[in-house]
Amino acid sequence: MIRRNLFYLTWFFFLISCKDHRNLDQNAREFSPKLTLIANDTLTFSVGSQFNVHTRYVRKCLIKNKPYLGAVNEISNDLEFFALSEEGENFKVNFQLDGPNGVGKLKAFEIISDSTLLIASTYRIRLYVTDFDGNLLRTIKTNEIERKGKPFVQTYYTHQPLIHDKRSDSFYVYTGVDTDFRGPGIWSGTMFLKMPNEIDSPPKHVFELSSYFNDFVYGAFFSHNSHVLMENRYLVMSIPFYNNILIYDLEREEVKEMEAGSKHFGDALPWDSPSFGRDEEFYVSSNSYREVAYDDDNKLLYRMAYRAVEYVGPDGDRRNWDNKLPSVIIINKDFEKVGEIDLPENTVYTRTYFTHNGKLYLSLNHPDNNPSEDQMVFVGFKPEEL
C-alpha cells in the first residue's frame, strides 16, 4: 500500500512538473539588439472640432496609387482621407445611419479597389460594400456560419479588424467567441472569419488557436488582441499576455509561433481571482503587449509592449491603460527580434499609428499631454542600425 501511494504521489508531482513546464514564463527572453528607432519628423493633420483625435481606426492606404491616411470619424459618421503626398487632396466619405444606403455607425474600413470600400459598423453581423460616395452596393451577412456550435461577434478592439487579401480576393474579419471573459475557454475557437468576395462562395472560420490557451483566465482588457497582414501572406497576431507572436500563413493555413517579447518582461500571469468591475485595475497593474504594425519599406514588424504601473498613482488618481510604460519591439522579416526602444511616459498615444515612407508614425495626442484637439499630430520614427 505504501509503495502504491508513493507511486501515485510521484506520478502526481510528475504531472505537476509537466504542467509547470507549459506554464507562462514571466522572464524576459534574451536577444541581440541590431536596430533602434530615431525620431525623424512630425506630421500634422487638421481635423476640426467634430473629430476625435484619439480615434483608433486610422490606416495608411493607396487610392489610385496615391498614399492617404484614412481615419474613421465616429462623431460625423465620415471616413476621412488625408493626403500623404503633394499629388493627393484631402476628401471624406459620409455614410448614412439608415435608409437605402444605411450602414449604421461607422467602426472600421478596408480598401477593396480604387472605387469600392468594405465597411464595418456597430451592426456587427453585417459588412457593407460601398463606393466612395457612400452608396451601398452590397450587404454581406456574417452570422450565417457558426464556430463549433457557438455564435461569433465581429470585434473592433483591434486596429485592423478588416483585411482584404488581394491574392485570393477574400476578406478576413476579426471575431470573438461568445463566452464569459472571466472564465476558461475564451481563447478556444478560431480568430477570423474568411469571406470570399465572390457572392456564391461560402465563408469559413480560420486561424485556430491552440487549446493550450484554454487554461488561462483573463479579464476583458486581455481579450484585446492586435494583428496585421504582413507580406500579403501572414496574419500576425499579438496576444496581450503572451510573449510569442502567432503567425497564420494564408497560403498553407498553418499557425506557428515566434518569440517576440519585451526586454522588460515575458508572459503575463493569469488573473487568479477574476471579479466583475476590476478588469481595468488588473490590466493596468499587469505587463502586456498590444498593437502590431508592419513597415513594408523596411520589411520590419513593430510590436508595442507596456510595463505595469500601480493602478492608483502617487497623486491618488487612478491610472488607465494609456498610462502604462510603453516600448516598441522591432522584428525583422524572418521574425527575429532585433531591437526595442522605450518611449517617454504619458507622451505617445500608441493606439493611433501607421507606417509610411519607411517610418513608424505614432500619435502625440496622448490624453494626458495632448498638444491639440483640432489636429492629429504624429512623430515619425526611422529605424537605424546600431
Side-chain angles (χ1 to χ4, degrees), residues 150-163:
K150 299 178 181 178
F152 78 94
V153 180
Q154 293 168 209
T155 52
Y156 306 123
Y157 306 131
T158 183
H159 176 265
Q160 192 174 341
L162 304 179
I163 288 176

Side-chain angles (χ1 to χ4, degrees), residues 36-41 295 298 302 328 341-344 348 356 358-364 378-383:
T36 187
L37 292 174
I38 304 296
N40 182 265
D41 66 340
D295 174 4
N298 294 302
Y302 300 109
V328 182
I341 67 157
D342 295 335
L343 298 175
V348 179
H356 175 59
K359 285 172 278 190
L360 171 66
Y361 283 93
L362 300 174
S363 171
L364 288 179
F378 293 87
V379 57
F381 290 91
K382 189 174 183 179

